[in-house]
Amino acid sequence: MIAIPANPTRGHLLRCGPGESILDLARHQSMGGLVALRKALAMQPAALIDEVKKATIRGRGGAGFPAGTKWSFLPKDNPKPRYLVINADEGEPGTFKDRYFLEQDPFPLLEGIAISAYAIGAHTAFLYVRGEFVHGIKVLEDAVEQMRKAGVLGRSVLGSPFALEIVVHPGAGAYICGEESALLESIEGKPGRPRNRPPFPAVAGLWACPTIINNVETMACVRLVLQHGADAFLAMGLPKDGGPKIYGLSGHVKRPGLYEAPLGLTLRTLIYDFGGGTIGDKPIKGIIPGGSSTPVLGPDALDVAMDFERIKAAGSMLGTAAATIFTEGTCPVAVLLRISRFYAHESCGQCTPCRDGTGWLERIVESIEHGTARPGDCDVLLSAANQIMGNTICALGDAAALPVISFVNRFRDDFEAHITGRACPYGAA
Amino acid sequence: MALAFSPDADREFDRIVRRYPNRRAALIPTLVLADRQFGYLSREAMEYVAKRLELPSAWVLSTATFYTLLRKRPTGRFHLQVCVNVACYLKGADQLGDHLKKRLGIGFGEVTPDGLFSLEGVQCLAACGTAPVIQVNDAYHEDMTLDKVDALIESLRTAPADGGAAAGPGGAR
Ligand SMILES: Cc1cc2nc3c(=O)[nH]c(=O)nc-3n(C[C@H](O)[C@H](O)[C@H](O)COP(=O)(O)O)c2cc1C
């Protein structure tokens, strides 16, 4: 059993509750800020990477790849500069956790970046922030400036020989730029079209230089590892999934928002204890557990633990641990239509199965919702989705196909009722 | 008159260019700057950016047209962006959108004849815990209701020419 916090709106990662913020470097320092960075600078980079490896921070951007392991892929003998790139594109629908750091609590993120940059030997870090977060970009630029003035960033980080600049780089509205190789193209000033791999970014990333890409929350976790030590960090989570996690909750719940708990929280605790249950106390119809690309689950999954392994065993994915709930009386076809429309809109157009396939998915789901689909179209839909899966350069194709497959399988009766009744039985169309 | 950055924008442009090892990397931040200063990215504005960065205009055009936040046509002084994605949908975004369309007499992608408002349906704004959400120029308006939307429109109609608080720190973008 994991320890369930009494007040989950605060914790190690969420230092501020809703409406609060820590935007002043002095205040950050008075709360134990920069201790982790000082500790890191006193260590050899290799020892630092070992400590992060030991903490098994699995990447918080969705894929769950262990941060320390990723760092160790950097080539030892490449003379080119190394870059650290932080992914603050936060685009996966349902997800709103990184925005917390950008707008309310930027220093743990920036400190984590400084620690990580020192560990991997990068002297420039690019923080790629989605363009809609105009306020967050201002907050970050101000926080970076405060750190530079205080000698925490710049030519000599806290008086050490290590130099670091953090560049806040705005995106301009493209979900695909959250995909790490598209993000690199975007920083280079190009359209955000994912790259073929290999080479992986650790070998040839930004301007073909060795590059590490990590999520915002991953950086905040790196700081916690240094602050408390790898063992203490592990004890905040599970033996194989280290650390605390920020969980998002949205949709038909009484108290949507961000909550912090150890990895392995059950959906039931998240929805009923933290979220206060569903609006109108209606029974749950569907749970999208980790962002809109993760396969939809039903109320039978309420006791599933939200960690990388167990949610996978239950047929979905942890993704960004941002759960969106919908209750009985909601048309699942209408919900899927919003999701399919999104992926069709966001396909970069590079791979034919995704460019054409996501459009097909949207049009078929739309015709089902509007009662104009033909018998057999559910199978056409499944077959179209299956032909996208695995046939594209990046995972956006899979992200579009997975919800379709899971919605049709879980709510097949609802889909067929639209077709036979030639209308949406929920009146949602 | 030919387009040109204001002195303030020029200083910002210099700051941007200095951050990167090459000029192409400064392209998206510069396009964002140009979009703000000129109101949208006309062909002329894109050519201006190409000239300032000494980049082929084909590079500038292909990038500018890829990104949805970079406006390719004028918007209203207040650009209302209604999130239509799943979390907002579940909390009544369609009703908000319909209400705004009726109230302003325009559809998504259109501008009111007086140029004051434009309306757009946009994808997830990453504020799902406070859905439904409308972004007005730079500012997020969260936990929206029909009443709050009405009050918002009223306050924007009477806002001072510099944009007013409801449009957020950036003012009319
Ligand atoms: C289509 C697509 C969109 C993505 N969007 C994001 C995003 O918005 N933020 C993010 O951190 N990772 C996103 N990712 C995952 C990144 O590619 C990458 O795995 C991640 O940033 C690595 O950081 P981490 O190892 O710290 O999780 C996306 C992936 C795909 C395929």
Side-chain angles (χ1 to χ4, degrees), chain A residues 90 93-96 99 126 130-134 141 167-170 172-173 177 186-192 207 250-252 256 324-326 330 334-335 338 342, chain B residues 15 19-22 24-25 27-29 32 36 62-63 66-70 84-87 89-91 94 123-129 135 138 140 142 169-170:
Chain A
E90 187 136 273
T95 310
F96 52 99
R99 183 181 173 215
F126 291 97
R130 65 177 290 174
E132 290 86 346
F133 286 161
V134 181
E141 289 196 326
V167 176
V168 181
H169 186 97
C177 291
S186 185
I187 295 180
E188 291 181 6
K190 302 171 194 166
W207 303 296
S250 64
H252 294 152
T324 304
I325 315 303
F326 54 96
T330 311
V335 173
R338 270 66 198 179
F342 171 74
Chain B
R15 193 180 74 93
R19 301 196 304 222
Y20 301 98
N22 63 56
R24 194 174 191 180
L27 176 54
I28 291 173
V32 171
R36 279 168 182 275
S62 68
T63 292
F66 185 85
Y67 294 91
T68 52
L69 272 187
L70 300 171
V84 297
N85 210 300
V86 63
Y89 166 74
L90 292 172
K91 298 301 278 294
D94 283 11
Q123 293 302 343
C124 189
L125 292 168
C128 315
Q135 188 174 8
D138 289 347
Y140 278 41
E142 301 172 52

Side-chain angles (χ1 to χ4, degrees), chain B:
Chain B
M1 202 185 89
L3 289 178
F5 281 151
S6 68
D8 274 354
D10 244 340
R11 264 192 298 281
E12 177 65 10
F13 173 72
D14 288 339
R15 193 180 74 93
I16 291 170
V17 170
R18 254 184 280 124
R19 301 196 304 222
Y20 301 98
N22 63 56
R23 292 200 148 220
R24 194 174 191 180
L27 176 54
I28 291 173
T30 305
L31 284 169
V32 171
L33 183 68
D35 176 82
R36 279 168 182 275
Q37 152 123 42
F38 305 132
Y40 77 106
L41 294 175
S42 59
R43 178 68 189 248
E44 194 190 356
M46 294 187 215
E47 296 290 353
Y48 176 72
V49 168
K51 203 174 88 210
R52 292 298 302 262
L53 285 172
E54 297 163 34
L55 295 176
S57 42
W59 288 6
V60 176
L61 262 64
S62 68
T63 292
T65 51
F66 185 85
Y67 294 91
T68 52
L69 272 187
L70 300 171
R71 292 169 294 183
K72 265 66 77 180
R73 49 179 188 195
T75 53
R77 183 148 78 86
F78 300 111
H79 188 40
L80 308 177
Q81 300 150 87
V82 184
C83 172
V84 297
N85 210 300
V86 63
C88 285
Y89 166 74
L90 292 172
K91 298 301 278 294
D94 283 11
Q95 287 83 330
L96 279 187
D98 288 346
H99 183 74
L100 278 168
K101 286 178 194 166
K102 224 197 272 162
R103 181 154 177 166
L104 300 174
I106 53 174
F108 282 161
E110 292 175 358
V111 189
T112 54
D114 60 3
L116 199 54
F117 296 105
S118 51
L119 199 54
E120 197 169 39
V122 296
Q123 293 302 343
C124 189
L125 292 168
C128 315
T130 42
V133 185
I134 297 178
Q135 188 174 8
V136 182
N137 299 347
D138 289 347
Y140 278 41
H141 295 263
E142 301 172 52
D143 282 318
M144 289 309 276
T145 59
L146 295 185
D147 285 345
K148 280 173 145 179
V149 165
D150 283 336
L152 175 65
I153 296 292
E154 277 320 307
S155 78
L156 293 175
R157 268 197 211 288
T158 53
D162 67 354
R173 233 191 17 188

Side-chain angles (χ1 to χ4, degrees), chain A residues 59-61 70 87 89-91 175 178-180 213-215 218 395:
Chain A
R60 302 307 203 233
K70 189 191 286 190
N87 193 339
D89 198 47
E90 187 136 273
Y175 164 72
E179 195 279 339
E180 57 183 35
I213 301 144
N214 274 126
N215 171 259
T218 309

Side-chain angles (χ1 to χ4, degrees), chain A residues 48-63:
Chain A
L48 188 48
I49 294 179
D50 283 343
E51 187 75 2
V52 170
K53 261 193 190 160
K54 191 169 155 208
T56 67
I57 309 172
R58 298 188 61 173
R60 302 307 203 233

